[in-house]
């Protein structure tokens, strides 16, 4: 009998540990928080079943769109000293961490010349 009660108690803990949590936002709306970092409004209609992760970005004002089209392009940068680039060779699924100045983009170990 004790074993049966212990088993039922442990199952109850497992179920409650994986359930979502509820919270209230600063403006008083209730939301459900899930373990995977997503959330949704508690009083949302059933049609919106997808939990939201981030709010949609705000659209840019119309004035900003026209200004960017008419703005002059910046002058190209003057040719200065050559800056080192990271080696472009991938070995065992990882990119090489060495830097190079060679034109082929490879470091000394991977055949840069």
């Amino acid at each position: 009998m004790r074993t049966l009660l212990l088993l039922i108690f442990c199952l109850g803990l497992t179920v409650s540990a994986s359930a979502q949590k509820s919270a209230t936002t600063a403006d008083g709306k209730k939301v459900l928080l899930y373990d995977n970092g997503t959330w949704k409004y508690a009083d949302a209609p059933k049609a919106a079943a997808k939990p939201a992760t981030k709010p949609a970005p705000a659209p840019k004002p119309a004035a900003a769109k026209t200004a960017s089209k008419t703005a002059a392009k910046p002058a190209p940068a003057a040719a200065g000293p050559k800056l080192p680039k990271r080696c472009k060779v991938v070995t065992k699924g990882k990119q090489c961490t060495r830097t190079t100045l060679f034109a082929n983009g490879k470091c000394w170990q991977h055949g840069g010349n």
Side-chain angles (χ1 to χ4, degrees):
M1 184 68 176
R2 288 183 187 174
T3 348
L4 180 62
L5 288 174
L6 183 62
L7 180 65
I8 292 172
F9 178 74
C10 290
L11 287 174
L13 285 178
T14 310
V15 171
S16 67
S18 65
Q20 72 264 7
K21 297 176 180 130
S22 62
T24 307
T25 62
D27 56 351
K29 295 180 181 177
K30 298 225 182 234
V31 293
L32 297 176
L33 307 173
Y34 295 98
D35 291 336
N36 63 358
T38 58
W39 61 273
K40 72 174 185 177
Y41 288 107
D43 55 346
K46 296 291 181 185
K50 284 187 178 179
T53 55
K54 294 181 183 177
K60 292 183 180 178
K65 289 181 183 177
T66 57
S68 65
K69 289 180 182 177
T70 59
K73 292 182 181 179
K82 221 176 181 187
L83 297 176
K85 294 185 262 181
R86 191 168 175 188
C87 178
K88 66 180 182 181
V89 176
V90 177
T91 307
K92 295 183 183 178
K94 294 184 180 178
Q95 186 177 4
C96 178
T97 58
R98 292 182 179 87
T99 56
T100 182
L101 293 175
F102 295 118
N104 66 358
K106 296 179 181 178
C107 67
W108 61 269
Q109 186 177 9
H110 296 112
N113 53 8

